[in-house]
Structures are given as C-alpha cells and as structure tokens.
Amino acid sequence: MDPTALEPAADFHADQLQAELTDSGFTSVTVLDQVESTNVWLADQVRQTGGTDLSAVVTGFQSAGKGRLDRHWFTPPGVALTFSVACTPRTAAGVPWPVEYVPWLTLLMAHSVTRAVRGTARVPAVIKWPNDVLVDSRKLCGVLATLINHPGSSVPSAVVGAGLNVSQRHLPIPTATSLRLEAGNDAAVPDRQTLLTEILREFARCYHLVSQDPGAALGPGGDMRAVLESELDTLGRRVALHLPGSTVPEQAVAEGLGTSGELIVRGDQRTARALSAGDVVHVRPAPGAARTASEQCALDDVARITAGERA
C-alpha cells in the first residue's frame, strides 16, 4: 500500500522487516505512523529497558525532527525515510567499546546509507563530514547520534537516526535533493522498506565487524576506517571552516580522520589540528575547490554499473 497523508507508514510492514533483519541481529523493528522524533522515541525506550542491542524504529512522518546543533527540519508525510537504530556497543569479549570509537557510529550510519542508495538507486552518494550524505554537493540525508548513559552501568547505549529524502519532487532549498530528483523517474526509486532493509543490514554488518576488535577496525590502517575514508567527500580538499562565534570562514586542507573520527585539518600556517563535530558550525568546500577523488570514484562507479545494465 502506498503512503498517504492519513497513513504515512502504510508502505512499511513490521513483521516482514523483523523477519528480514533477524539474521542481522535486530531484536525488534517498530513501525510508527507518526512521531515527533525517532531518536527521542527510541532513546526513551532504551532508558526504560536499561540498554538494548540493535533495535530500530521507523516512521512514516516525523513532525519535529532535529539535526546537528539543534537545527530543525521538516518533510511532508510519506516522502522521506526517517528511522533510528539503538545499540549498546560491546566487543566480542563482552566489554564496552573503548569510548574513543563510539563517535564513529555516526559515520558508520552515513556509510550504510551511502552504500544502500548507490546499490539500489544507482545514485553516486558520498559522505560529507561529520554527518551528511551528499549527491553532487546537495544534501540527500542527515545523521544524528545520541549517547545514553545508564545509572549504575559503565556501558552506554547510542541511538543513531537518519532522515533520507526519497520521493520529493520539490525541496525548499537548492542545496538539498532526493532520490527521485537524482534518479529522474519514479521507477528508479526503490520503495522505503527496501531502502530501510538494505541500510540496516549494512549497518549491522559494519557494527558487528567493528565489535570484533574496534581498534583493529577503526584505528590507523583499519579496514573499516579505510572504507569510511574512501567515501568521505571532505578529505583531500580545501575546505572553509565556519567556526562558532566567527563571521569569517577559516580555510584549511582536510587531511584525514582522528582517533574518534575527528577531522584533521591543516591551515595556512601548516599546523595540523583535530576538529570534532561540536567544534564547527559548517564545513564546506572552499570556493573553487575541485571534486575529490572519492566523489569522482563514486560517479565513475555508478556510471559503469548503469552502462552495464543498459548494455
């Protein structure tokens, strides 16, 4: 059934989602017609249960969504994929992830969205540090993580939410886009349940991989770290840093990622420093900065796939 204004989640089927995701380790997948915020709703559930591993909630309409730095955003009912995942990160040995690796969950979700939309819609998506998915510099998806500390426990939980523009034909700002706008026709846009299933499967795969040994996966030279860096449009280019309290952007070269996924930048004085997501208001390409190798690689990859399908 297609979503409507009265039933914006009509295209989601909780039983089918649960069946398709059980092998990935999801203990529950909840479908809500409408909610103010999937992150807030799932965080409340996690606080009540004292922590869970890999549960998810998806809604047909989120009425009070928030992004980084408490930015508000709104999409009409039934046109976006809005969901959150909860986890309590432990290693294979059952101990909490080292605290420095927990912030990487945001990039793991951005990666999962990127892989899913490339594979299902053939859209050349890339990651913009710290929490966006872009197509040709236009925002397709935003990711937001919330950390939850439990009284009497040393193991925190995390809720990671995402809002992905799917079937919008018009968006209020020119720097945003949707899968429908990028694909060019309705037939090329996968349904929201298919997208959600692919995203959650990839997130679970990456989450379990990292949990085997977070340091080996995300430390210097780690396989998962290398994958994330390869998809980051921000790296290797000159960027304009919009910092809190400053009206003049500072320019620097984005060189890599730090221990906790911070952005390592080097300014004109040749001094390198690490910036966390809370240290910046915006990180944007500096005027005249060329497309990065990662974005060009994504474009080339999708072009090859598309050409093969048409042959």
Side-chain angles (χ1 to χ4, degrees):
M1 183 183 297
D2 292 331
T4 66
L6 295 178
E7 295 182 282
D11 53 335
F12 293 112
H13 307 283
D15 291 345
Q16 184 180 351
L17 281 167
Q18 185 66 66
E20 292 177 341
L21 292 166
T22 297
D23 288 347
S24 294
F26 279 88
T27 58
S28 68
V29 182
T30 302
V31 175
L32 302 174
D33 232 13
Q34 177 176 333
V35 71
E36 289 188 357
S37 163
T38 57
N39 263 25
V40 171
W41 187 92
L42 192 53
D44 288 343
Q45 301 300 307
V46 170
R47 291 188 184 97
Q48 293 174 26
T49 61
T52 185
D53 207 39
L54 287 187
S55 61
V57 60
V58 61
T59 186
F61 175 51
Q62 182 169 256
S63 61
K66 285 186 178 181
R68 197 171 63 89
L69 304 179
D70 280 337
R71 299 183 183 114
H72 292 264
W73 56 272
F74 173 86
T75 55
V79 299
L81 175 58
T82 310
F83 66 95
S84 295
V85 172
C87 58
T88 305
R90 292 183 175 88
T91 69
V95 299
W97 280 18
V99 65
E100 62 266 29
Y101 295 119
V102 175
W104 287 86
L105 288 167
T106 299
L107 287 174
L108 289 180
M109 181 60 77
H111 154 82
S112 301
V113 172
T114 298
R115 282 293 175 92
V117 300
R118 285 189 193 180
T120 60
R122 310 305 185 202
V123 169
V126 293
I127 302 172
K128 172 181 173 288
W129 186 92
N131 67 327
D132 289 338
V133 175
L134 307 182
V135 179
D136 198 19
S137 299
R138 294 182 296 273
K139 184 172 178 177
L140 180 70
C141 174
V143 179
L144 181 68
T146 302
L147 191 66
I148 303 166
N149 292 306
H150 302 288
S153 173
S154 61
V155 186
S157 296
V159 172
V160 189
L164 170 63
N165 293 329
V166 179
S167 57
Q168 295 97 318
R169 294 170 179 267
H170 305 283
L171 288 157
I173 55 175
T175 54
T177 191
S178 70
L179 290 180
R180 172 60 180 79
L181 290 174
E182 295 301 325
N185 63 81
D186 292 330
V189 179
D191 63 83
R192 292 191 297 176
Q193 175 140 327
T194 296
L195 278 168
L196 179 64
T197 302
E198 292 303 310
I199 292 168
L200 295 187
R201 280 176 175 163
E202 179 64 11
F203 181 82
R205 185 190 71 82
C206 296
Y207 175 70
H208 292 311
L209 185 155
V210 173
S211 294
Q212 293 300 309
D213 189 335
L218 295 172
D223 289 345
M224 194 68 242
R225 182 192 186 108
V227 169
L228 295 173
E229 290 177 335
S230 74
E231 294 172 343
L232 268 166
D233 178 56
T234 314
L235 298 186
R237 74 190 309 174
R238 192 168 183 82
V239 295
L241 305 170
H242 298 252
L243 305 176
S246 176
T247 58
V248 180
E250 177 182 326
Q251 292 200 14
V253 175
E255 294 190 336
L257 298 177
T259 302
S260 297
E262 313 99 314
L263 186 65
I264 307 299
V265 299
R266 191 177 299 274
D268 292 338
Q269 303 302 315
R270 307 304 301 164
T271 301
R273 57 177 168 154
L275 298 173
S276 69
D279 292 332
V280 295
V281 179
H282 293 293
V283 178
R284 291 172 172 153
R291 177 177 285 137
T292 65
S294 65
E295 186 170 14
Q296 189 60 55
C297 180
L299 289 167
D300 293 344
D301 183 50
V302 172
R304 284 193 297 270
I305 293 171
T306 304
E309 290 178 343
R310 291 173 178 168

